[in-house]
């Protein structure tokens, strides 16, 4: 009876080892796929420390969404708005 339990325990450990390897393989493939998608979409690159949204990239040459016809500055005593 002890030999039968030992055989099943051994088979269970071997199955668990193969399941762990399969899980590591699947996680590795998923990580490689995520990095590939990041590279292809431009959201992950050599200059980026991590994931970032595509809208956070600066436009070439700078981009101003609006222009003001008044000046705003701070003279040390408070904010001045010149209209």
């Amino acid at each position: 009876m002890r030999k039968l339990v030992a055989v099943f325990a051994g088979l269970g450990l071997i199955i668990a080892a193969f399941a762990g390897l399969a899980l590591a393989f699947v996680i590795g493939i998923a990580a490689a796929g995520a990095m590939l998608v990041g590279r292809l979409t431009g959201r992950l690159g050599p200059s980026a420390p991590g994931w970032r949204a595509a809208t956070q990239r600066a436009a070439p040459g700078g981009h101003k969404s609006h222009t003001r016809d008044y000046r705003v500055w701070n003279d040390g005593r408070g904010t001045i708005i010149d209209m």
Side-chain angles (χ1 to χ4, degrees):
M1 184 70 183
R2 287 184 183 176
K3 281 189 175 185
L4 187 61
V5 171
V7 168
F8 281 124
L11 287 175
L13 289 174
I14 290 172
I15 290 171
F18 278 118
L21 288 173
L23 181 63
F25 183 73
V26 168
I27 289 174
I29 294 294
M35 291 185 70
L36 180 65
V37 167
R39 288 278 188 171
L40 291 176
T41 59
R43 295 179 186 205
L44 183 68
S47 62
W51 290 97
R52 63 180 178 182
T55 57
Q56 289 180 345
R57 289 180 294 193
H63 177 70
K64 289 189 174 183
S65 60
H66 65 283
T67 57
R68 299 187 300 202
D69 56 346
Y70 57 92
R71 296 183 303 158
V72 179
W73 73 92
N74 190 345
D75 65 349
R77 294 177 291 173
T79 302
I80 299 171
I81 302 173
D82 184 20
M83 295 188 159

